Each structure stands twice: as C-alpha cells, then as structure tokens.
Amino acid sequence: MSENLFKLYVTEFSTILVLKLQQRQSKLRGRVMEGFHVGKQASPIQYIGAIQMRAPAGRFAPIQRQDVDFTRRWVFPVDKEAFQLIDTFDKLKILQDPTSQYSDVAAAAVAREWDDRLIGAAFAAAQIGADAGGLSTENFSTTNFQIASTFGSSSASGLTVAKMIEAKRLFRKFQVDVDAETMCWVTNSQGESDLLNQVQVVSTEFSDRPVLQDGKVTRFLGFDIVYSERLTSTSNVRQNIAFVKSGLYLGVWKDTENSIDRRVDLSGLPYQVATLMSSGATRLEPGRLLQVLCADTSAAADVTP
C-alpha cells in the first residue's frame, strides 16, 4: 500500500439544489372573488342599495317613487416582473442545471405577490365612483369594522375565541349571509399558538367533533383558518383579517407568465428566465371584511420574502 494514496483524495459535492425557506404557495388566492381584466382600470362589481316598503299614500294619491342608489368599485393593475440570467459558460462548470429551480424561485415570488396585493388592499383606501373620471376614496372605518386588541380583556391580547365570536356577531349584524358564504380568518404563527393554548379550541368538551386535525386548527366557529407570515404588524399588534369571499377581490390582468430564452444580445448567450404578472386588488363592500387586532411580539415572524 502506497503512503502517497492521500494525494488522490477527492471532494464530492451534492447535485441536490433546494429552495431556501420561504412561502412558496399563495395562501389567499382562491379564497377571494377573482376576475380577469384589460384596460387601465376595471370595475369588477356594482352594488344596488335597498328600499323600504311603505303604506299606500291613499286612494288615487300620486305615486311616491323610491330611487335606489348604486355604487361602483374599481381596481387598478400593478405590473411586476423578475428577470434571472444563467451564464452559458457557468452551466458548463456545475454538476446540475439550475434552470428549473430558477423557475421555482420565480413562481414562489409570484405566489407571495398575490397575497401581498390582497393583504395590502384589505385595509387600504378603496376607489368608488360612477366612472373613471369621477372617483372618490373610501377609507377603511376602524370605528365600525375593527375589533380592538383589548377586546374581552383589560390589556392587549392575542387571538382569542372571544374575538372570533365577536367577528361572527358583526358579520350577522351587517347582514352578511354567513350561512351561505364561507368565512375566512387570516392569522399568523402567533395566532395559531394563541388558539392552541385555549381550552375551548382544543378540548372536545366544547365541540361535537374534534377541532384539531393532525395537531392543526384549520377550521373553528365556521371560519377557515389560514396562516400567513405576511400580515402587517404595528407596535406589537398584528392585523388579522376576517372576511367572507365577497369581501376581497383580486383582479388579474396577466396571470403568471414564464419565458426561458437565449439572450443573443449578451456575451456568452446566457439563458434568461423571465417572469411577468399584472394584478390589482380591492376591498369590496364595507361589512364583509373586518380588521382584528391581536397582540404579537414575534416581530421575527415577518418573513421576507
């Protein structure tokens, strides 16, 4: 046996290329109203108001006409793109082709953009008006549609059963048909922890069937529970969103478009992975979406991307 065999030692590298921890799927798309549009803006939905029945004005009296009111809501596109280049000569010097992973990274970015667009629109100013030339701003009313962080307690509290009951009560008060529409609650990891630490949620004594499914709370009090680490937080208070499907709208001008081409205008003829999308979102009729403030000191949960 030669004592110089160590000179032939080799170093082996893996051919496995895995995406780093990040949100890869949209949490909210499919849970809101959605439509496809063209043009610089679109009115996705129009509302007709209510009238009240009246007693007859009297025999042969003039007819008392009632004029119902209408509201038109608008959504505007936001264009987004991502370009990634893969050098031809670099590909010759690595063990695996990373092109598919580049596409996966772009798809994950698109998924997060859908959610950011919807979360951002939930409590943002909405645009209403009869036509594009006469729009006015409708601000989110925290007086009518917000549940305080201190609800049911003397100080700021996390996600509690009491807050969920209050949200359901408010929906019924505002005439939302919760028996026909699916209610959705968006919270984060701290909200999940809050729920798991409440006996009303985890104990079968308070429900005719178990709430926990494989250790997860996915539905409670009629709400589908969705977990997202992209919710807004201010001063250790997280803005949870409670809504029905008709309370949020996603307008799509261009769904995800991926293109892989050679860049003949660049040295080395690199491959380009191009990803394009265009979308807009808006809050719909007031009362169909609520802001629920929950104490949360886990600022590190704001994962970016």
Side-chain angles (χ1 to χ4, degrees):
M1 179 178 69
S2 173
E3 294 184 357
N4 297 316
L5 194 60
F6 69 91
K7 296 180 179 180
L8 299 181
Y9 287 0
V10 299
T11 300
E12 182 180 10
F13 294 93
S14 173
T15 59
I16 300 174
L17 184 59
V18 179
L19 272 66
K20 287 187 174 182
L21 289 174
Q22 57 189 285
Q23 179 185 323
R24 299 181 60 180
Q25 301 292 330
S26 173
K27 308 286 187 179
L28 299 180
R29 192 170 182 186
R31 297 182 179 275
V32 303
M33 293 184 68
E34 183 175 319
F36 291 84
H37 305 287
V38 295
K40 67 176 183 178
Q41 63 192 71
S43 175
I45 193 167
Q46 303 169 106
Y47 294 100
I48 183 171
I51 62 172
Q52 185 68 31
M53 298 304 295
R54 296 175 177 174
R59 185 175 289 108
F60 307 128
I63 293 176
Q64 297 181 355
R65 187 186 78 249
Q66 295 189 61
D67 295 321
V68 68
D69 197 13
F70 300 89
T71 305
R72 178 175 286 158
R73 198 161 291 261
W74 295 86
V75 64
F76 303 85
V78 178
D79 304 330
K80 294 286 184 174
E81 63 183 18
F83 292 94
Q84 304 174 86
L85 294 177
I86 306 173
D87 186 79
T88 303
F89 296 116
D90 287 342
K91 288 179 66 175
L92 300 175
K93 301 176 180 68
I94 57 179
L95 295 175
Q96 71 284 334
D97 185 345
T99 305
S100 63
Q101 284 81 3
Y102 274 56
S103 297
D104 290 342
V105 167
V110 168
R112 292 190 296 271
E113 179 63 26
W114 299 131
D115 288 1
D116 288 347
R117 191 69 41 213
L118 288 164
I119 291 171
F123 310 124
Q127 297 295 315
I128 59 176
D131 54 52
L135 301 183
S136 61
T137 298
E138 177 194 85
N139 293 317
F140 181 79
S141 174
T142 56
T143 301
N144 297 318
F145 309 116
Q146 182 191 83
I147 298 175
S149 62
T150 56
F151 181 85
S153 59
S154 57
S155 59
S157 59
L159 177 51
T160 63
V161 173
K163 291 179 181 178
M164 299 188 74
I165 293 174
E166 175 65 4
K168 193 169 186 177
R169 182 193 73 82
L170 287 174
F171 280 144
R172 287 198 183 275
K173 177 183 178 181
F174 297 134
Q175 304 296 328
V176 177
D177 191 353
V178 296
D179 299 318
E181 288 207 69
T182 300
M183 298 184 297
C184 184
W185 192 291
V186 187
T187 187
N188 69 332
S189 53
Q190 182 59 52
E192 180 182 33
S193 178
D194 293 338
L195 291 176
L196 291 173
N197 278 297
Q198 294 175 77
V199 66
Q200 298 103 309
V201 177
V202 298
S203 175
T204 56
E205 294 181 6
F206 297 88
S207 177
D208 57 347
R209 52 187 173 182
V211 174
L212 290 180
Q213 300 291 331
D214 297 325
K216 297 180 292 185
V217 182
T218 57
R219 186 169 176 82
F220 185 65
L221 286 176
F223 288 94
D224 287 343
I225 312 297
V226 177
Y227 300 103
S228 171
E229 299 303 323
R230 308 187 72 79
L231 295 174
T232 302
S233 177
T234 305
S235 301
N236 293 330
V237 173
R238 187 78 56 182
Q239 296 177 3
N240 284 209
I241 309 172
F243 66 95
V244 292
K245 189 170 185 176
S246 60
L248 264 177
Y249 183 85
L250 177 66
V252 180
W253 271 254
K254 177 185 283 294
D255 212 329
T256 309
E257 178 182 326
N258 284 310
S259 176
I260 302 177
D261 302 295
R262 298 293 293 271
R263 287 292 303 271
V264 297
D265 60 319
L266 298 178
S267 175
L269 304 181
Y271 288 90
Q272 176 177 273
V273 181
T275 305
L276 308 176
M277 64 180 296
S278 182
S279 65
T282 183
R283 180 182 63 257
L284 294 178
E285 185 181 14
R288 298 176 185 268
L289 180 147
L290 304 173
Q291 181 185 77
V292 187
L293 302 182
C294 299
D296 180 7
T297 58
S298 61
D302 294 318
V303 177
T304 302

